[in-house]
């Protein structure tokens, strides 16, 4: 049986926080609402667009649907020139391909956009299963999508490594009975990752190879 690694996308494979912040702040300005710093956005993301919008709106919840539309229009229409893989990600993927691992992505970013990012930025890598947020499947931290990936790859959940940068990813991994690897180059800190069940903590992408051995 081939070994499998499931990656979160934002904050794990991709450094996307700048473009998320820029686009959301632009949408907020259009509605004459308060904007936020990049560091604040690191704690707003992780649960998908709906929760991101709720986090920035706070006391203006009646504007939720309007802001979601504004943000999606701006974000979907951008080239995301600031969004790029973290240093060492390509090198890690090169090694995983050499070692014949199954590669998968599970994100709370909308499904179409998740697939587009992987298809474009990681076009040279054989990601077999790529899933974002869908209307018919509960988003992370529900384990359902992760378990479906395991079933599609005919792999036992307990043999899968789930790599992510937030408590959402650690909760997903533990609920799915997968091994949770928390990364420190993403949006959250070591304390959060350990508190929510990380089996391993890594400081750089290539450190993951030592765990997989």
């Amino acid at each position: 049986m081939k070994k499998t690694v499931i990656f979160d996308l934002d904050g794990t494979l991709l450094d996307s926080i700048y473009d998320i912040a820029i686009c959301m702040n632009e949408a907020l300005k259009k509605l004459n609402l308060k904007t936020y710093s990049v560091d604040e956005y690191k704690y707003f993301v992780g649960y998908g667009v709906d929760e991101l919008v709720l986090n920035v709106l706070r006391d203006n919840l009646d504007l939720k649907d309007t802001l979601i539309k504004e943000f999606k229009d701006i974000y979907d229409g951008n080239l995301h020139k600031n969004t790029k893989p973290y240093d060492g990600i390509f090198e890690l993927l090169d090694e995983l391909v050499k070692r014949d691992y199954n590669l998968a992505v599970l994100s709370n970013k909308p499904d179409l956009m998740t697939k587009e990012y992987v298809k474009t930025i990681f076009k040279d890598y054989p990601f077999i299963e790529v899933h974002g947020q869908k209307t018919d499947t509960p988003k992370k931290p529900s384990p359902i999508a992760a378990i479906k990936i395991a079933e599609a790859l005919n792999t036992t959940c307990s043999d899968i490594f789930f790599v992510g940068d937030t408590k959402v990813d650690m909760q997903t991994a533990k609920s799915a009975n997968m091994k949770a690897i928390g990364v420190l180059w993403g949006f959250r800190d070591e304390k959060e990752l350990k508190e929510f069940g990380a089996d391993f903590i890594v400081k750089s992408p290539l450190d993951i190879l030592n765990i997989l051995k």
Side-chain angles (χ1 to χ4, degrees), residues 6-187:
I6 301 175
F7 290 95
D8 169 52
L9 188 63
D10 295 310
T12 302
L13 291 175
L14 290 180
D15 184 359
S16 57
I17 198 68
Y18 294 97
D19 282 322
I20 291 172
I22 289 168
C23 294
M24 181 57 80
N25 280 341
E26 185 175 335
L28 289 168
K29 287 175 184 176
K30 285 190 172 186
L31 299 177
N32 295 312
L33 296 172
K34 170 183 166 58
T35 59
Y36 299 89
S37 70
V38 171
D39 284 339
E40 287 175 300
Y41 277 103
K42 290 181 180 179
Y43 288 87
F44 293 161
V45 299
Y47 287 94
V49 174
D50 286 3
E51 289 297 322
L52 168 61
V53 167
L54 289 177
N55 283 330
V56 299
L57 278 178
R58 298 185 179 178
D59 297 327
N60 298 283
L61 299 184
D62 55 316
L63 294 174
K64 177 186 174 183
D65 291 341
T66 302
L67 184 57
I68 287 175
K69 183 180 185 306
E70 287 286 352
F71 172 70
K72 285 185 174 180
D73 286 347
I74 294 168
Y75 192 74
D76 292 355
N78 264 271
L79 296 176
H80 304 150
K81 62 181 180 181
N82 299 299
T83 296
K84 58 188 182 303
Y86 288 98
D87 291 343
I89 289 296
F90 284 146
E91 290 82 356
L92 169 63
L93 296 177
D94 287 337
E95 287 298 320
L96 293 178
V97 170
K98 287 179 187 176
R99 300 176 191 199
D100 200 28
Y101 274 78
N102 288 323
L103 302 179
V105 168
L106 178 58
S107 174
N108 277 344
K109 187 185 286 292
D111 186 60
L112 184 62
M113 187 172 290
T114 297
K115 287 180 166 61
E116 188 63 29
Y117 267 119
V118 174
K119 178 182 176 182
T120 303
I121 297 178
F122 300 107
K123 62 182 183 300
D124 296 327
Y125 298 95
F127 281 96
I128 303 172
E129 294 288 322
V130 178
H131 300 273
Q133 185 178 345
K134 305 173 185 176
T135 56
D136 61 348
T137 305
K139 63 187 177 183
K140 297 182 296 182
S142 167
I144 291 176
I147 293 170
K148 285 184 177 180
I149 290 175
E151 292 172 346
L153 297 175
N154 194 29
T155 305
T156 304
C157 285
S158 59
D159 291 330
I160 293 176
F161 291 89
F162 195 108
V163 184
D165 69 305
T166 71
K167 64 183 181 182
V168 176
D169 300 308
M170 301 303 100
Q171 291 170 317
T172 303
K174 303 312 291 183
S175 297
N177 194 31
M178 297 176 180
K179 299 179 182 70
I181 301 179
V183 308
L184 295 181
W185 58 81
F187 301 158

